[in-house]
């Protein structure tokens, strides 16, 4: 019996040593230490031995089982380490190879234009002011010299939430709120943001669009200051050779009011499809702040004056980048946006 056990041990250790991978080693473990293995069978057969032989043979079987288990576990650890090293070798990465380029995003053309406008006016000492998009009728209309029933409201009466609450139709309410908050102090701000109007969406109109307005209030502010500011702005956005002209117009919150045109940057004023053969392109509206607006905000029109202007970044972006349909800015078509990946605004 002892000779049989020793032979079993030698045989098991030899097969453990010969196992070349984890799979074959597991097969050896099951063959010798499993429920149907010879060592387990010997332990189960202890009951058939004479009582005086059982302790000695049981101890001998356990010694052999422990010896085989110890060698097997040691071999298993080495084979697992070897398998991991082989896998790492197969999956190794050559760090000297060039990596796959990561796709990066870029600024939307409207964002480019808005930031360029903001940078220009900030460099001139303006501050950026913001306000709510859901606005009170008072700040959207009445504080801007547009009382209820005023005919100029018709083109802007849009998305009302209640009788006195609506989605703002321009960023002028930010001007009214700022004047009210300043309490008679000088102001030099621009007001960028989204606005909403009841327009039918087409190539040049959208029910939601972006607007940037500016407001300057102080002593001895004149029309010549407005013209000089707008002239510098036109040259910054469209080139140093641009000229401007101011045409009389009407806005309830400014008096006098003007529309500003720039000389066509495509034909130089000779007439083309961009300027509709006129040599000029309309850009924005402006004017001197109406005395009524100043008074409602707590300013004395006899002491201070001011000018205001408003523009649509979509209009400027369409001219600057040759975009023919305003809807391209809002449809999120990657083919359109990706054209501006390397375009300097």
């Amino acid at each position: 019996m002892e000779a049989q056990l020793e032979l079993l041990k030698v045989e098991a250790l030899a097969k453990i040593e010969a196992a070349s991978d984890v799979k074959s080693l597991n097969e050896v473990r099951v063959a010798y230490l499993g429920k149907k293995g010879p060592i387990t069978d010997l332990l189960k057969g202890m009951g058939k031995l004479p009582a005086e032989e059982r302790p000695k043979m049981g101890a001998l079987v356990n010694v052999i089982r422990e010896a085989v288990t110890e060698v097997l576990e040691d071999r298993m650890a080495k084979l697992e380490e070897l398998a991991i090293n082989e896998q790492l070798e197969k999956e190794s990465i050559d760090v000297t190879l060039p990596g796959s380029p990561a796709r990066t995003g870029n600024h939307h053309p409207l964002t480019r234009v808005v930031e360029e406008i903001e940078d220009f006016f900030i460099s001139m000492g303006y501050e950026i002011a913001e306000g709510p998009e859901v606005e009170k009728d008072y700040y959207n209309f009445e504080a801007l010299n547009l009382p209820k029933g005023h005919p100029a409201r018709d083109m802007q009466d849009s998305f009302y939430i209640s009788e006195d609450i609506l989605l703002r139709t321009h960023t002028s309410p930010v001007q009214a709120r700022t004047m009210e908050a300043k309490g008679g102090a000088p102001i030099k701000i621009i007001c960028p943001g989204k606005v909403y109007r009841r327009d039918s969406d087409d190539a040049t109109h959208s029910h939601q669009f972006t607007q940037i307005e500016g407001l300057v209030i102080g002593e001895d502010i004149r029309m010549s200051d407005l013209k000089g500011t707008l002239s510098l702005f036109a040259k910054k956005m469209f080139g140093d050779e641009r000229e401007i002209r101011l045409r009389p117009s009407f806005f309830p919150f400014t008096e006098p009011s003007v529309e500003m045109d720039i000389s066509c940057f495509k034909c130089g004023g000779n007439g083309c499809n961009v300027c509709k053969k006129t040599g000029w392109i309309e850009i924005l509206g402006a004017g001197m702040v109406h005395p009524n607006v100043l008074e409602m905000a707590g300013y004395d029109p006899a002491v201070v004056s001011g000018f205001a202007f408003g523009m649509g970044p979509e209009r400027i972006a369409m001219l600057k980048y040759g975009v023919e349909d305003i809807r391209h800015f809002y449809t999120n078509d990657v083919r359109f946006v990706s054209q501006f990946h390397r375009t300097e605004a």
Side-chain angles (χ1 to χ4, degrees):
M1 187 68 172
E2 293 182 17
Q4 183 183 354
L5 287 172
E6 189 62 32
L7 181 62
L8 187 61
K9 174 184 175 182
V10 172
E11 183 183 291
L13 295 178
K15 289 189 177 182
I16 291 172
E17 186 63 30
S20 58
D21 54 45
V22 172
K23 181 180 178 182
S24 59
L25 186 59
N26 271 323
E27 292 174 353
V28 173
R29 179 185 61 78
V30 172
Y32 285 92
L33 299 176
K35 293 181 179 180
K36 297 181 180 180
I39 295 178
T40 303
D41 286 342
L42 287 171
L43 289 171
K44 290 179 179 179
M46 286 294 169
K48 299 178 181 180
L49 295 174
E52 63 274 11
E53 293 184 14
R54 291 175 192 171
K56 179 181 178 180
M57 293 305 299
L60 184 57
V61 172
N62 283 328
V63 168
I64 292 175
R65 184 176 64 173
E66 291 174 3
V68 171
T69 301
E70 182 180 352
V71 173
L72 188 142
E73 290 177 349
D74 183 62
R75 180 65 175 164
M76 181 67 77
K78 291 180 180 178
L79 290 177
E80 286 177 346
E81 183 180 359
L82 180 63
I84 291 174
N85 290 335
E86 289 179 352
Q87 184 178 1
L88 291 175
E89 185 68 26
K90 291 178 181 179
E91 297 177 358
S92 62
I93 300 174
D94 186 352
V95 295
T96 64
L97 292 174
S100 300
R103 295 185 63 184
T104 57
N106 55 285
H107 284 116
H108 191 280
L110 275 182
T111 302
R112 291 175 179 270
V113 169
V114 170
E115 289 182 348
E116 188 175 1
I117 294 172
E118 289 177 344
D119 289 344
F120 169 75
F121 283 105
I122 288 173
S123 71
M124 295 184 67
Y126 286 69
E127 296 179 352
I128 295 177
E130 297 180 334
E133 294 178 22
V134 179
E135 188 55 273
K136 293 181 178 180
D137 181 274
Y138 174 78
Y139 290 109
N140 196 80
F141 291 124
E142 295 178 43
L144 301 170
N145 204 35
L146 280 162
K148 293 184 184 299
H150 195 291
R153 281 191 179 214
D154 292 345
M155 62 181 295
Q156 292 192 31
D157 276 350
S158 295
F159 301 106
Y160 278 85
I161 298 171
S162 69
E163 185 176 348
D164 295 313
I165 303 294
L166 75 161
L167 298 181
R168 67 182 181 187
T169 60
H170 44 190
T171 57
S172 300
V174 181
Q175 298 184 34
R177 287 178 175 273
T178 302
M179 286 189 288
E180 184 180 82
K182 288 290 186 178
I187 296 175
K188 199 173 185 181
I189 60 170
I190 58 169
C191 318
K194 293 194 291 291
V195 298
Y196 308 85
R197 293 188 187 178
R198 191 183 56 199
D199 279 332
S200 298
D201 289 7
D202 57 28
T204 57
H205 297 85
S206 173
H207 64 280
Q208 173 196 300
F209 56 98
T210 312
Q211 195 173 57
I212 296 181
E213 298 189 17
L215 173 68
V216 175
I217 294 179
E219 295 184 9
D220 199 28
I221 302 297
R222 297 166 293 182
M223 193 73 174
S224 57
D225 298 318
L226 171 61
K227 182 178 180 181
T229 299
L230 297 181
S231 178
L232 288 174
F233 170 73
K235 294 179 186 298
K236 168 64 177 177
M237 297 301 295
F238 297 102
D240 292 337
E241 66 279 10
R242 295 281 71 75
E243 299 293 335
I244 70 168
R245 73 176 183 183
L246 302 180
R247 294 179 287 105
S249 186
F250 168 77
F251 301 110
F253 30 82
T254 54
E255 180 62 38
S257 304
V258 295
E259 298 278 0
M260 187 189 90
D261 304 328
I262 62 168
S263 57
C264 182
F265 49 82
K266 183 175 181 180
C267 66
N270 296 321
C272 66
N273 62 320
V274 174
C275 62
K276 300 179 181 179
K277 307 298 182 181
T278 66
W280 297 93
I281 302 173
E282 181 182 324
I283 293 295
L284 55 82
M288 302 301 292
V289 180
H290 199 290
N292 291 349
V293 174
L294 290 172
E295 285 183 358
M296 283 187 285
Y299 288 83
D300 185 353
V303 178
V304 300
S305 56
F307 64 76
F309 54 85
M311 68 190 78
E314 287 90 346
R315 168 72 170 161
I316 294 174
M318 291 174 75
L319 293 170
K320 192 174 180 69
Y321 298 127
V323 178
E324 297 180 351
D325 195 321
I326 193 174
R327 289 170 291 192
H328 291 323
F329 294 125
Y330 300 111
T331 52
N332 296 323
D333 190 329
V334 175
R335 294 171 299 177
F336 170 74
V337 179
S338 61
Q339 297 179 67
F340 304 90
H341 186 67
R342 296 186 181 278
T343 303
E344 292 298 328

